Amino acid sequence: MAIDEATEAKIRKLYYADHYTVHGISRSLGVHHTTVKRVIGAETFQRHRAKRPSILDPFEAVIDEQLNQYPKLPATRLIQILEDRGFQGSLSLVRHYLRKIRPRYVKPYMRMQVFAGEQAQVDWAHCGEIRIGKAIRKLYLFVMVLSFSRAIYARFCLNLNTQTFLRRHEDAFSYFGGIPRVILYDNLKSAVLSRSGNDIRFNPDLLEFAGFYSYEPRACWPYRGNEKGRVERSIRYLRDNFLSGRELSDFKTINDSLEQWCNRVGNRRPWPEDRRHTVAQRWAEERGKLMRLTNRRKEPKQVEIKRASKTPWVSFDLNSYSIDANFLGFPLSLSADDDYVEIYCNNDLIGRHARSYDRGRFIESGEHRQQLIEHRYYGRGALFRENLVSEFPAIESMLKRMFEHGLDLAATSRRLYRLLHIHGSESFSAAVVAANEK
């Protein structure tokens, strides 16, 4: 606060001659107390305390000598030197003294400058958990940011495996309208398997993928926040602006909401380099500088080797998927993407199902169901009953009443399955509702 010379003179008179307190002067003249202290002189308010004696005092010369010779000498080594000379104090006392006498060094960083279309940055973020049916799954957020325009592509995922990681790259390339020449990764396992200084062993699947799309994967140095700051700031922006106050309860709709937010809010924010422009304007400029995206797609899929021994089901990701009963005991190959699970035997497709992210589900096709009815691979019918309840929850109360009347649930479940096959799901569901109303 700026005051004139007359007011300064009044402050000095009230303090030195009339012995007013600082706050008394502040209230009397209507000026801030820091202004009063500045006029009087800050040295007036410094407390001069006598230095308390310390058991470290006799060793200060030794410490100075060691630090002059070894400026970066750690406290853990210094206390050993002092103990050899009779010091009996604690390590915390030595560290406290070093903090006072050793100047604090802050490492400077240069601001990273990139050209349009040159670089993108990628990272994962953990976003808690989400319930899907009976399953509670971890929820992750994949984020790719174009370093020049700061355009964001983000999508929620339910795992961190390499195939999901690479599929999200393809989605991001389609969203951005091209491919950057360099993609910068943190040292996450989907990208970097191991590292020793400049020797980096990239994930082979990532190298094959990068070769297919002709970009250079590059790993940033550990603990260098300035190198991947654009994606980290974008994740923080997503947490503050999109995730805050939003309940993530339906996995089928949250990615649609996220894409709408990116289009309407995230990619229309002011451009950090020059707030007179928007990210969308710079993105439109950068889109022409990205490498051209052709119609070819790598489409990475998660592949596992399976074998169905006694029952015509293959377990995958907490659920079971039906197969052709004629392939029991054969080595099988399971291929999965975000939407479908396909099962092969010697490159022949023997089962294709919509992927479920629930748990404990038995997903079967109508063709496999008919085979099981004809060959009675379900044994005593327990899985018949479980699948009926899974597909038609209202049937559970009807089955309980049948059991209370002494009916054999295994035989009843098999008969109900035959009716389902004959009349179809719609008629069967209506019949179950009508039976429960009686």
Side-chain angles (χ1 to χ4, degrees):
M1 178 179 179
I3 57 176
D4 55 24
E5 295 181 356
T7 305
E8 290 185 1
K10 289 180 183 179
I11 291 173
R12 293 190 182 93
K13 174 182 179 299
L14 290 173
Y15 184 79
Y16 291 109
D18 299 335
H19 305 293
Y20 274 56
T21 63
V22 171
H23 288 284
I25 298 172
S26 176
R27 288 192 298 270
S28 299
L29 300 181
V31 296
H32 199 268
H33 63 87
T34 56
T35 305
V36 177
K37 290 182 180 181
R38 177 178 59 78
V39 173
I40 296 169
E43 69 278 357
T44 306
F45 305 97
Q46 294 178 354
R47 296 182 178 180
H48 300 283
R49 294 179 177 176
K51 181 181 177 182
R52 296 176 60 183
S54 170
I55 59 174
L56 200 59
D57 291 344
F59 302 94
E60 290 183 359
V62 178
I63 296 174
D64 294 341
E65 180 185 350
Q66 294 294 325
L67 292 181
N68 287 334
Q69 190 173 359
Y70 309 104
K72 296 184 179 180
L73 188 69
T76 50
R77 174 64 183 127
L78 182 58
I79 194 172
Q80 297 174 20
I81 298 172
L82 298 180
E83 286 175 346
D84 292 340
R85 289 164 172 76
F87 177 68
Q88 297 180 352
S90 65
L91 178 62
S92 60
L93 180 61
V94 177
R95 284 176 170 160
H96 178 71
Y97 181 75
L98 288 179
R99 281 196 295 269
K100 290 194 301 182
I101 66 171
R102 186 147 57 188
R104 185 179 178 184
Y105 174 71
V106 179
K107 189 174 182 178
Y109 291 95
M110 294 182 63
R111 183 176 180 82
M112 187 176 68
Q113 299 290 337
V114 294
F115 296 108
E118 178 186 358
Q119 186 195 89
Q121 298 182 8
V122 169
D123 207 351
W124 287 107
H126 182 245
C127 299
E129 296 177 337
I130 189 169
R131 176 177 287 277
I132 302 177
K134 296 183 290 184
I136 297 178
R137 293 181 175 267
K138 292 184 178 180
L139 188 65
Y140 303 97
L141 183 63
F142 172 90
V143 181
M144 181 183 287
V145 178
L146 295 179
S147 297
F148 173 77
S149 64
R150 307 303 206 283
I152 298 173
Y153 169 81
R155 185 176 176 88
F156 289 105
C157 305
L158 297 174
N159 59 62
L160 297 174
N161 65 46
T162 303
Q163 290 72 32
T164 299
F165 185 63
L166 299 180
R167 286 198 297 273
R168 297 293 80 79
H169 278 65
E170 290 187 328
D171 295 341
F173 297 158
S174 299
Y175 180 77
F176 290 138
I179 308 167
R181 286 161 176 77
V182 175
I183 297 183
L184 187 65
Y185 300 97
D186 199 354
N187 291 278
L188 41 89
K189 289 300 181 183
S190 304
V192 179
L193 297 182
S194 63
R195 177 169 191 158
S196 178
N198 290 325
D199 297 329
I200 302 171
R201 187 162 68 94
F202 282 100
N203 188 321
D205 292 333
L206 176 67
L207 291 178
E208 182 184 356
F209 181 85
F212 183 87
Y213 284 104
S214 303
Y215 74 86
E216 177 192 350
R218 188 179 296 172
C220 64
W221 282 91
Y223 312 110
R224 298 281 180 88
N226 65 314
E227 292 188 4
K228 59 184 188 319
R230 286 166 169 80
V231 69
E232 290 187 344
R233 283 192 293 273
S234 297
I235 290 174
R236 186 167 63 243
Y237 178 59
L238 279 158
R239 290 189 187 278
D240 294 341
N241 200 292
F242 177 78
L243 292 174
S244 294
R246 190 186 300 266
E247 184 177 354
L248 304 179
S249 57
D250 184 6
F251 185 71
K252 294 181 179 179
T253 61
I254 56 176
N255 276 318
D256 293 336
S257 300
L258 179 58
E259 184 174 357
Q260 292 175 11
W261 177 89
C262 287
N263 294 331
R264 293 189 298 106
V265 180
N267 291 329
R268 294 194 176 185
R269 69 192 189 278
W271 189 48
E273 301 291 338
D274 186 348
R275 300 183 70 83
R276 293 173 298 178
H277 303 280
T278 65
V279 168
Q281 292 171 339
R282 286 297 184 235
W283 179 18
E285 174 186 336
E286 185 172 23
R287 190 180 291 116
K289 305 295 179 63
L290 295 169
M291 292 189 295
R292 188 170 62 89
L293 185 65
T294 65
N295 293 328
R296 294 191 313 150
R297 292 292 181 273
K298 185 71 173 172
E299 296 182 351
K301 295 184 178 181
Q302 185 175 353
V303 178
E304 296 185 8
I305 304 301
K306 300 287 185 179
R307 185 186 293 271
S309 57
K310 295 182 180 180
T311 58
W313 300 93
V314 171
S315 298
F316 173 71
D317 193 23
L318 305 179
N319 297 293
S320 297
Y321 297 86
S322 68
I323 63 169
D324 188 326
N326 296 313
F327 291 91
L328 287 177
F330 284 80
L332 307 175
S333 174
L334 183 146
S335 175
D337 58 17
D338 295 335
D339 301 315
Y340 293 98
V341 173
E342 297 177 339
I343 305 162
Y344 296 85
C345 181
N346 296 327
N347 297 323
D348 295 327
L349 181 66
I350 62 172
R352 187 173 191 268
H353 306 276
R355 184 170 181 174
S356 172
Y357 292 98
D358 201 342
R359 69 178 301 159
R361 294 287 307 278
F362 287 84
I363 297 96
E364 68 174 346
S365 68
E367 180 183 352
H368 297 159
R369 176 192 297 167
Q370 180 61 22
Q371 287 181 342
L372 295 172
I373 291 172
E374 293 174 357
H375 295 89
R376 301 185 64 173
Y377 275 98
Y378 273 105
R380 297 182 61 83
L383 290 181
F384 268 127
R385 185 166 62 253
E386 188 170 348
N387 278 272
L388 285 170
V389 173
S390 176
E391 190 170 353
F392 306 98
I395 204 172
E396 187 170 12
S397 60
M398 188 178 77
L399 290 173
K400 287 181 179 179
R401 283 187 290 153
M402 289 179 175
F403 176 74
E404 292 169 357
H405 284 80
L407 295 178
D408 181 1
L409 288 188
T412 302
S413 298
R414 285 195 292 271
R415 294 190 189 101
L416 289 171
Y417 239 78
R418 291 191 183 96
L419 291 173
L420 173 61
H421 175 70
I422 294 170
H423 299 285
S425 297
E426 186 175 350
S427 299
F428 187 83
S429 177
V432 170
V433 173
N436 282 328
E437 291 176 352
K438 291 183 179 179

